[in-house]
Amino acid sequence: MTEKDQELNLRQRLSGLSRLPLLRGVRVNGESERLERQLERLQADTSDEAIWRSVELARHADRPYTMDYVERFIDDWVELHGDRGRADDGALVTGLGKLDGRTVALIGHQKGRDVKERLDRQFGMAYPEGYHKAMRVMEIAERFGFPVISLIDTPGAYPGVAAEQHGQGGAIARSQAEMARLTVPTVACIIGEGGSGGAVAIAVSDRVLMQEHAIYSVITPEGCAAILWRDAGEAKKAAAAFKPDALHCLELGVIDGIVAEPEGGAQNDHDEAARLLRTALVENLEELEDTPGEELRRRRRAKFRGMGVFA
Amino acid sequence: MTEKDQELNLRQRLSGLSRLPLLRGVRVNGESERLERQLERLQADTSDEAIWRSVELARHADRPYTMDYVERFIDDWVELHGDRGRADDGALVTGLGKLDGRTVALIGHQKGRDVKERLDRQFGMAYPEGYHKAMRVMEIAERFGFPVISLIDTPGAYPGVAAEQHGQGGAIARSQAEMARLTVPTVACIIGEGGSGGAVAIAVSDRVLMQEHAIYSVITPEGCAAILWRDAGEAKKAAAAFKPDALHCLELGVIDGIVAEPEGGAQNDHDEAARLLRTALVENLEELEDTPGEELRRRRRAKFRGMGVFA
Amino acid sequence: MSEARIDVQVEHKHAPPPAEKKHPNTCPKCGSHYRDDELAAALWVCSHCGHHFPMRARARIDWYTDPGSFMEEAADVRSEDPLDFFDLRPYAERLSEAELNTGLNEAALIGQATIDGHPVELSVMDFTFMGGSMGSAVGEKFSRACDSAIERGVPLISVTSSGGARMQEGILSLMQLPKTVCAVEDLHDAHIPMITVMAHPTTAGVLASFASLGDVTIAEPGALIAFTGPRVVQQTTREKLPDDFGLAEQNLRFGHIDAIVPRAEQRDHLTRLLRLFA
Amino acid sequence: MSEARIDVQVEHKHAPPPAEKKHPNTCPKCGSHYRDDELAAALWVCSHCGHHFPMRARARIDWYTDPGSFMEEAADVRSEDPLDFFDLRPYAERLSEAELNTGLNEAALIGQATIDGHPVELSVMDFTFMGGSMGSAVGEKFSRACDSAIERGVPLISVTSSGGARMQEGILSLMQLPKTVCAVEDLHDAHIPMITVMAHPTTAGVLASFASLGDVTIAEPGALIAFTGPRVVQQTTREKLPDDFGLAEQNLRFGHIDAIVPRAEQRDHLTRLLRLFA
Ligand SMILES: [Zn+2]
Ligand SMILES: [Zn+2]
């Protein structure tokens, strides 16, 4: 496609946005204009190559993780540990801190930077205990009216024997249920890999954002390829087919906005990536903060209940 | 003491009842008359010998356990298993069933009758998982307006390494907190040993009853003797000092009523023991059922917050 | 390290026995062979060893409900192909084939019925339709079952059997997790009970959403109940798996379900629960 | 099998080191010896190895709060002897002795103060008063601290250090568990935060009630935090105990507390939390 074709393509997609059931009733004034500017700025490329590039960038070893952002834009950070039952799961960080002057509860996957930390944090794949910890912090947030910020970056929930025995499926379900009950503003952003149930467990939010090169998917490209193409090497083909990139997620009404990244990807400039993410989080929080809690919850459920395409 | 002296003693105790802060505001009309009849019927003996006899009967190997009562007066019993996290603790049985036509949630310790069952059920000493299971069933009760019946019979919560690692103290605290939040009627009866935190975890109820020969205590007589007399053999002395019997608990305002047992103790006639217990549970439920949930909760908290004697 | 963990289709999971190897009416546990009518009469349970064969959604509804009481709802809700998904074959073709083979137009059936006179709402999954996978249509149908139960003020009985989310619908299939969870929360807020029956297999995205949120949860004997199935766990972690890994029996021991109820007793068990929640 | 499991007094538990063996100012970990004024200046922490000696309630209040800001409440609440309890010595005599030795009239102090300018309510236990055991007076004082926090709309900071319930008050001491739990629930309903600092040892009935219900819970390094202490666990179950059984470090690993904060950093940590909950 030429650049001109691409732009046309984008315009069409954008005009389609307002028809998506998701966007009706959720958007506030000015939001679609902002989206339009975002899309323009992104000079978005929706080719198969571009999708694969996002898959690679989303998993880039130098990509900023949750704690990189916490260090850059959360003041008075106090990490809260433990599920009060069995463990403190390092794959999911939770805590309280100030974002632009207001106290927020923050929940985020943490993959770990070096080998030791990655093992300690199971590469960002949480056990049920991680989701129980998140739910405990959500309860604190609910009690004291703190907004909940989720930063999502996981290949998926941990797929091990103990994780199953401790109720991985039920923990993911109940974490979503807890988010569906909250009456505080909730904003999630996928900052890397948004892998399946392990991601959506903490992404049932009033606003779900994705960074420009983040991915959000029901299965890893390799997993999908192994099943449908019977060859994990066909991951690129699989990604092109199920389209985990931010633009397609926006188009499908699954997310509410895209957060720009520094030129070439967030790994190139953590400070700038943090500045852009902070701005997006604050803007979205500000738009939500005047809405009564019951109304937030009603709209949140209506948004997710409107998702899907069927005849 | 002669029989006459004893009776006088009892009368004095009874007249003291109405002064206890516990009883004010909680009692309904007719309650103190019923208590008086109970006390008369019991021909109560508060000697050290009588206290020790209760300690022995409360632990009698043939004493009816929770499931003996369930079989005898709960219809449509459906046992509910598991804490949805890690285990199904056999020391604490939970389920739904009909009591006198109404659906109730029932929670009860189960010691086990033969050696194998006793091991399976840890002699009625629950792990944190048992209390989590109880809390889950309380939540169902709260959602659907089912009264909660607790039958308490435990030497105490399980004192093992795993139980500690899984948060025994926190589980007992949170189970009490859950009971303090309920807006459904709650009736507990100590049907054997009411051992310390493991007992009170499920006994924060609108009405707390004790069977005539049950005991309720902060520590076992042997444990108390080992610490204070430095000789576990002095258990009888310890029991006489800390007075775990039903009459003294009633006198101290810790329980709301005493449930009669068949002549010589519940172990002699399970059917009659069940009939007497059923009657007491139903009567107490009936007295609570017209009170609005918020008021039940307010009175329940006021009752427990009024407990204690200080200058 | 992390490939193929979640929401894999069921052919990559534990039992049921590979269909290509044995006749579907041959018991995989004891080798007994049955005619269709024999199995149907025995509720698709091996009369020799008690193995529970898969039970089709309509057969199960017939078994649970009072004769003639079932009225299907949302029968017109069908899958679309929002991604123009094409792997070795187009999704649209897979859908048509599934319709042809199953006589259903989706992997879930919902509707009203009575059970021993108690009015209920039913949502019943059928594993034969694309492995019971949950796409937008299944999510919508389950959600409408919740709404119908609320509107009518009757309990919801949900039977699950699923390999997980339907990956041919990409991210939209993942969104059926929060969608169905939100529907259950609306149900909870309306104080309507949900009783879940987990049939083989209840896994991945369905286990990680509405299937785990029942007020009371029973399972069929031998059913696989796992977020990640045994084969993927082993491939990914190289852990040694316990013999009954992920089966209903293990789930009961670990506290995840309330009871294992053989199929022949399920109707009575449900009726008893309906009396309790009436 | 089941004797002496719960709420045993602290002499039957893990550390602190037997007072009769070493001078109380000798570090049980590294053997360093200090004068009182040296330890007081170092917040009762061994400057050589970091061991946290017990800290008296008033010293801790002085450390946490702005100078002169503490106003004690419920100072007149004192224990009675409702059971005429007599073991080897009368309870009344034990109480008098504790008063004499500690200069306190109970094992908890409550009152108002400010911390870095933030108004708070404080409840601080003192282990030297009968092992920090909780009888009716301690339960009442903690409960009044909750009420005072609600009334004033300020956070409650609760410092715990206790061997458990005070068995000399029999069943009434057990009733302090639900009593204090109900007080915390009133606090929760009023949306007042409670920050808990667990000092050595926080055990038995105190751990099984208000101590476990903080919104945020920090512990001092090396503090024993256990419902049943190591000696009783070993006597009862004959299990082999892990080295750090029941210590704060194990509790952090098993998810029961939010952080371990050395005493010197606690004031800053609390201040930060107060800013967050302001
Ligand atoms: Zn067979
Ligand atoms: Zn030292």
Side-chain angles (χ1 to χ4, degrees):
Chain A
M1 282 201 286
T2 68
E3 211 170 275
K4 192 77 199 158
D5 288 341
Q6 276 183 17
E7 200 182 324
L8 192 67
N9 193 359
L10 247 183
R11 294 266 158 235
Q12 285 168 345
R13 284 167 191 275
L14 185 60
S15 72
L17 277 182
S18 59
R19 290 201 310 274
L20 286 171
L22 159 67
L23 299 177
R24 281 202 306 271
V26 182
R27 297 264 153 242
V28 297
N29 286 341
E31 177 74 356
S32 68
E33 287 78 0
R34 201 172 70 204
L35 269 177
E36 190 168 5
R37 285 200 313 276
Q38 277 185 340
L39 286 175
E40 283 183 52
R41 210 197 68 75
L42 294 173
Q43 288 289 328
D45 175 359
T46 59
S47 68
D48 296 355
E49 282 307 320
I51 291 175
W52 189 248
R53 192 161 149 264
S54 278
V55 171
E56 289 177 329
L57 288 178
R59 299 165 167 182
H60 196 290
D62 295 330
R63 197 171 175 85
Y65 297 146
T66 290
M67 289 310 294
D68 296 308
Y69 292 119
V70 166
E71 282 162 20
R72 283 170 177 79
F73 59 64
I74 300 291
D75 303 316
D76 280 334
W77 172 248
V78 175
E79 187 171 346
L80 301 179
H81 289 274
D83 67 344
R84 299 292 178 271
R86 183 170 40 207
D88 180 43
D89 188 341
L92 239 171
V93 170
T94 66
L96 302 176
K98 296 257 188 196
L99 173 62
D100 195 37
R102 71 176 73 62
T103 300
V104 299
L106 187 140
I107 296 162
H109 296 101
Q110 182 72 12
K111 288 179 167 177
R113 192 63 71 187
D114 59 34
V115 174
K116 189 193 167 304
E117 196 195 353
R118 287 188 178 211
L119 286 174
D120 286 350
R121 298 190 184 272
Q122 303 122 226
F123 301 83
M125 298 186 284
Y127 273 76
E129 287 81 348
Y131 298 106
H132 291 148
K133 174 165 71 167
M135 289 162 73
R136 187 174 72 82
V137 176
M138 290 178 209
E139 283 162 19
I140 293 174
E142 177 76 7
R143 186 177 303 138
F144 297 105
F146 302 151
V148 176
I149 306 288
S150 310
L151 299 182
I152 291 142
D153 187 15
T154 180
Y158 191 77
V161 170
E164 287 297 322
Q165 291 175 337
H166 298 177
Q168 189 67 281
I172 293 171
R174 277 183 276 281
S175 183
Q176 292 175 75
E178 182 76 39
M179 294 198 86
R181 279 194 291 271
L182 295 175
T183 60
V184 292
T186 55
V187 179
C189 185
I190 298 158
I191 59 168
E193 287 183 274
S196 191
V200 79
I202 59 167
V204 188
S205 305
D206 297 321
R207 298 287 171 84
V208 180
L209 312 175
M210 279 176 80
Q211 280 182 328
E212 195 178 335
H213 296 298
I215 57 172
Y216 198 10
S217 64
V218 69
I219 185 168
T220 57
E222 293 78 9
C224 180
I227 294 167
L228 295 183
W229 280 264
R230 308 194 189 284
D231 177 2
E234 299 282 21
K236 214 163 158 177
K237 251 186 216 167
F242 73 62
K243 302 179 175 56
D245 61 298
L247 270 175
H248 281 102
C249 286
L250 185 64
E251 187 187 21
L252 289 165
V254 163
I255 62 166
D256 303 288
I258 295 175
V259 180
E261 295 185 20
E263 190 62 36
Q267 77 284 356
N268 287 338
D269 188 343
H270 288 199
D271 289 340
E272 176 64 5
R275 198 190 58 76
L276 292 163
L277 177 56
R278 179 187 187 281
T279 303
L281 294 175
V282 170
E283 277 180 13
N284 277 277
L285 278 182
E286 280 172 354
E287 288 166 5
L288 295 165
E289 278 169 340
D290 291 337
T291 309
E294 299 286 327
E295 180 63 13
L296 282 176
R297 170 161 64 186
R298 197 193 61 72
R299 288 187 195 170
R300 188 186 313 130
R301 288 193 195 167
K303 176 177 91 156
F304 284 98
R305 292 200 56 174
M307 289 196 190
V309 174
F310 51 86
Chain B
M1 280 201 287
T2 67
E3 211 169 276
K4 194 73 198 163
D5 288 342
Q6 275 183 18
E7 200 183 322
L8 192 69
N9 192 1
L10 246 182
R11 294 266 156 233
Q12 285 167 345
R13 285 166 192 275
L14 185 60
S15 72
L17 277 183
S18 59
R19 289 200 309 273
L20 287 172
L22 159 67
L23 298 176
R24 281 203 306 271
V26 181
R27 296 263 154 243
V28 297
N29 286 340
E31 178 75 355
S32 69
E33 286 78 359
R34 202 172 69 207
L35 270 178
E36 189 168 6
R37 284 200 313 275
Q38 277 184 340
L39 287 176
E40 282 184 52
R41 211 197 67 74
L42 294 173
Q43 287 291 328
D45 176 0
T46 59
S47 68
D48 295 355
E49 282 306 318
I51 291 175
W52 188 248
R53 193 162 148 259
S54 279
V55 172
E56 289 178 328
L57 287 177
R59 300 163 165 184
H60 196 289
D62 294 330
R63 195 171 176 87
Y65 297 147
T66 290
M67 289 309 294
D68 297 308
Y69 292 118
V70 166
E71 282 163 21
R72 283 171 176 79
F73 59 65
I74 300 290
D75 303 315
D76 281 333
W77 172 249
V78 175
E79 187 171 344
L80 301 179
H81 289 274
D83 67 344
R84 297 294 178 270
R86 184 169 40 205
D88 180 45
D89 188 341
L92 238 171
V93 171
T94 66
L96 302 175
K98 296 257 189 195
L99 173 61
D100 195 37
R102 70 176 72 64
T103 300
V104 298
L106 186 140
I107 295 162
H109 296 101
Q110 182 72 14
K111 289 179 167 178
R113 192 62 72 185
D114 58 35
V115 174
K116 188 192 169 302
E117 197 196 353
R118 287 189 176 208
L119 287 174
D120 286 350
R121 297 191 186 272
Q122 303 123 225
F123 300 82
M125 296 184 285
Y127 274 76
E129 287 81 348
Y131 298 106
H132 291 148
K133 174 165 72 167
M135 288 162 74
R136 187 175 72 83
V137 176
M138 290 177 209
E139 283 163 18
I140 292 174
E142 177 74 8
R143 186 178 301 139
F144 297 105
F146 303 151
V148 176
I149 306 289
S150 311
L151 299 182
I152 291 142
D153 188 14
T154 180
Y158 192 78
V161 171
E164 287 298 322
Q165 291 174 337
H166 299 177
Q168 189 67 281
I172 293 171
R174 277 183 276 280
S175 182
Q176 293 175 74
E178 182 76 39
M179 293 199 87
R181 279 194 290 272
L182 295 175
T183 60
V184 293
T186 55
V187 180
C189 185
I190 298 158
I191 59 168
E193 286 183 273
S196 191
V200 79
I202 59 167
V204 189
S205 305
D206 297 320
R207 298 288 170 84
V208 180
L209 313 174
M210 279 176 81
Q211 280 183 327
E212 196 178 335
H213 297 298
I215 57 172
Y216 197 10
S217 64
V218 69
I219 186 168
T220 56
E222 292 78 9
C224 180
I227 295 167
L228 295 184
W229 279 264
R230 311 197 187 280
D231 177 1
E234 298 282 22
K236 214 162 158 178
K237 252 186 216 168
F242 72 64
K243 301 179 177 56
D245 60 299
L247 270 176
H248 281 102
C249 286
L250 185 65
E251 187 188 23
L252 290 165
V254 164
I255 62 167
D256 303 287
I258 295 174
V259 180
E261 293 185 23
E263 189 63 36
Q267 77 284 356
N268 286 338
D269 188 343
H270 289 199
D271 290 339
E272 176 64 4
R275 198 189 60 75
L276 292 164
L277 177 56
R278 179 187 188 280
T279 303
L281 295 174
V282 170
E283 277 180 13
N284 277 277
L285 279 182
E286 280 172 354
E287 289 167 2
L288 295 165
E289 278 168 340
D290 291 336
T291 309
E294 298 287 328
E295 179 63 13
L296 281 176
R297 171 162 62 187
R298 196 193 61 71
R299 288 187 194 172
R300 189 185 313 130
R301 288 193 195 166
K303 176 177 88 159
F304 284 97
R305 291 199 57 174
M307 289 195 190
V309 174
F310 51 86
Chain C
M1 167 273 321
S2 63
E3 56 184 83
R5 278 183 334 285
I6 294 161
D7 292 305
V8 297
Q9 298 273 40
V10 141
E11 61 256 47
H12 280 251
K13 293 228 161 116
H14 210 272
E20 61 279 15
K21 289 194 190 142
K22 281 185 184 161
H23 189 280
N25 288 7
T26 299
C27 176
K29 252 166 99 183
C30 74
S32 303
H33 187 79
Y34 299 95
R35 293 191 314 271
D36 264 16
D37 62 327
E38 289 174 324
L39 274 181
L43 300 172
W44 300 86
V45 174
C46 175
S47 51
H48 185 65
C49 76
H51 172 75
H52 282 51
F53 288 83
M55 191 177 205
R56 298 292 308 275
R58 287 200 190 276
R60 189 182 293 269
I61 291 169
D62 283 348
W63 156 231
Y64 286 168
T65 61
D66 299 330
S69 70
F70 182 68
M71 286 172 44
E72 191 174 350
E73 295 170 339
D76 55 328
V77 171
R78 303 161 77 103
S79 291
E80 288 219 329
D81 182 11
L83 299 183
D84 291 323
F85 197 91
F86 188 103
D87 46 88
L88 300 179
R89 295 162 60 200
Y91 176 39
E93 192 181 306
R94 288 185 191 264
L95 281 170
S96 308
E97 186 189 82
E99 286 195 33
L100 259 165
N101 289 345
T102 62
L104 298 171
N105 53 21
E106 250 312 327
L109 271 176
I110 69 164
Q112 325 182 355
T114 61
I115 295 180
D116 199 36
H118 295 274
V120 297
E121 181 75 18
L122 279 168
S123 164
V124 182
M125 300 189 79
D126 194 310
F127 188 72
T128 54
F129 192 103
M130 290 192 75
S133 58
M134 174 162 69
S136 301
V138 168
E140 179 68 13
K141 283 182 135 182
F142 175 82
S143 301
R144 289 200 195 172
C146 291
D147 291 343
S148 179
I150 293 169
E151 207 170 291
R152 298 166 52 228
V154 303
L156 173 61
I157 292 177
S158 161
V159 183
T160 56
S161 177
S162 172
R166 189 173 295 167
M167 78 184 89
Q168 289 88 352
E169 295 187 20
I171 191 68
L172 290 175
S173 71
L174 184 63
M175 290 305 111
Q176 304 313 304
L177 278 64
K179 172 168 176 163
T180 56
V181 167
C182 286
V184 174
E185 284 307 307
D186 286 343
L187 196 73
H188 279 170
D189 287 353
H191 302 283
I192 300 291
M194 176 163 82
I195 300 164
T196 298
V197 181
M198 293 186 175
H200 178 81
T202 294
T203 63
V206 167
L207 185 67
S209 60
F210 67 90
S212 287
L213 299 176
D215 295 296
V216 176
T217 304
I218 65 175
E220 298 205 309
L224 177 69
I225 302 169
F227 181 63
T228 313
R231 184 168 149 172
V232 174
V233 168
Q234 193 148 46
Q235 281 177 351
T236 314
T237 65
R238 316 277 171 203
E239 295 180 81
K240 168 140 181 55
L241 304 194
D243 278 347
D244 63 352
F245 178 80
L247 299 189
E249 291 70 18
Q250 192 196 55
N251 275 277
L252 182 64
R253 215 163 57 244
F254 278 91
H256 305 313
I257 57 177
D258 286 304
I260 295 172
V261 183
R263 203 171 278 154
E265 298 167 24
Q266 285 170 8
R267 196 190 140 93
D268 281 353
H269 196 90
L270 291 173
T271 303
R272 183 180 288 207
L273 285 167
L274 290 170
R275 280 199 298 271
L276 290 170
F277 282 102
Chain D
M1 168 269 328
S2 62
E3 57 185 81
R5 279 184 333 286
I6 295 161
D7 292 304
V8 297
Q9 298 273 39
V10 140
E11 62 256 47
H12 281 250
K13 292 226 163 113
H14 211 277
E20 61 278 15
K21 287 192 190 144
K22 281 186 185 164
H23 188 280
N25 286 6
T26 300
C27 176
K29 253 166 98 181
C30 74
S32 304
H33 187 80
Y34 300 94
R35 292 190 316 272
D36 265 16
D37 63 328
E38 289 174 323
L39 273 181
L43 301 172
W44 300 85
V45 174
C46 175
S47 50
H48 185 64
C49 76
H51 171 76
H52 281 52
F53 288 82
M55 190 177 206
R56 299 292 308 275
R58 287 201 191 276
R60 189 181 292 271
I61 291 169
D62 283 347
W63 156 230
Y64 285 168
T65 61
D66 299 330
S69 69
F70 182 69
M71 284 171 44
E72 189 175 350
E73 295 169 339
D76 54 329
V77 171
R78 304 161 76 102
S79 291
E80 288 221 327
D81 183 10
L83 299 182
D84 290 323
F85 197 92
F86 187 101
D87 46 87
L88 300 178
R89 293 162 60 201
Y91 176 38
E93 190 180 308
R94 288 185 190 265
L95 282 170
S96 308
E97 186 189 82
E99 287 194 32
L100 259 163
N101 290 346
T102 63
L104 297 171
N105 53 22
E106 249 313 325
L109 270 177
I110 70 164
Q112 325 183 357
T114 61
I115 295 181
D116 199 35
H118 295 273
V120 297
E121 182 74 18
L122 280 167
S123 164
V124 182
M125 299 188 78
D126 194 310
F127 188 73
T128 54
F129 192 103
M130 289 192 76
S133 57
M134 173 162 69
S136 301
V138 168
E140 178 69 12
K141 283 182 137 184
F142 175 81
S143 301
R144 289 199 195 172
C146 291
D147 291 343
S148 179
I150 294 169
E151 207 170 293
R152 297 166 53 227
V154 302
L156 173 61
I157 292 177
S158 161
V159 183
T160 57
S161 178
S162 172
R166 188 174 295 168
M167 80 184 89
Q168 289 88 350
E169 295 187 19
I171 190 68
L172 289 176
S173 71
L174 183 63
M175 289 305 110
Q176 304 313 304
L177 278 65
K179 172 169 176 164
T180 55
V181 166
C182 287
V184 174
E185 284 308 307
D186 287 343
L187 195 72
H188 279 172
D189 287 354
H191 304 282
I192 300 292
M194 175 164 81
I195 301 165
T196 299
V197 181
M198 293 185 175
H200 177 81
T202 294
T203 62
V206 166
L207 184 67
S209 61
F210 67 91
S212 287
L213 299 176
D215 294 297
V216 176
T217 304
I218 65 174
E220 299 205 310
L224 177 69
I225 302 169
F227 180 62
T228 312
R231 181 167 151 175
V232 174
V233 168
Q234 192 148 47
Q235 281 177 349
T236 315
T237 66
R238 316 277 170 204
E239 296 179 83
K240 168 142 180 54
L241 303 194
D243 278 348
D244 64 351
F245 178 80
L247 299 189
E249 291 70 17
Q250 191 195 56
N251 275 277
L252 183 65
R253 216 164 57 245
F254 278 90
H256 305 313
I257 56 177
D258 286 305
I260 295 173
V261 183
R263 203 171 279 154
E265 298 166 25
Q266 285 170 9
R267 196 190 140 96
D268 281 352
H269 196 91
L270 291 173
T271 303
R272 182 179 290 206
L273 285 166
L274 290 170
R275 280 199 299 270
L276 290 170
F277 282 102

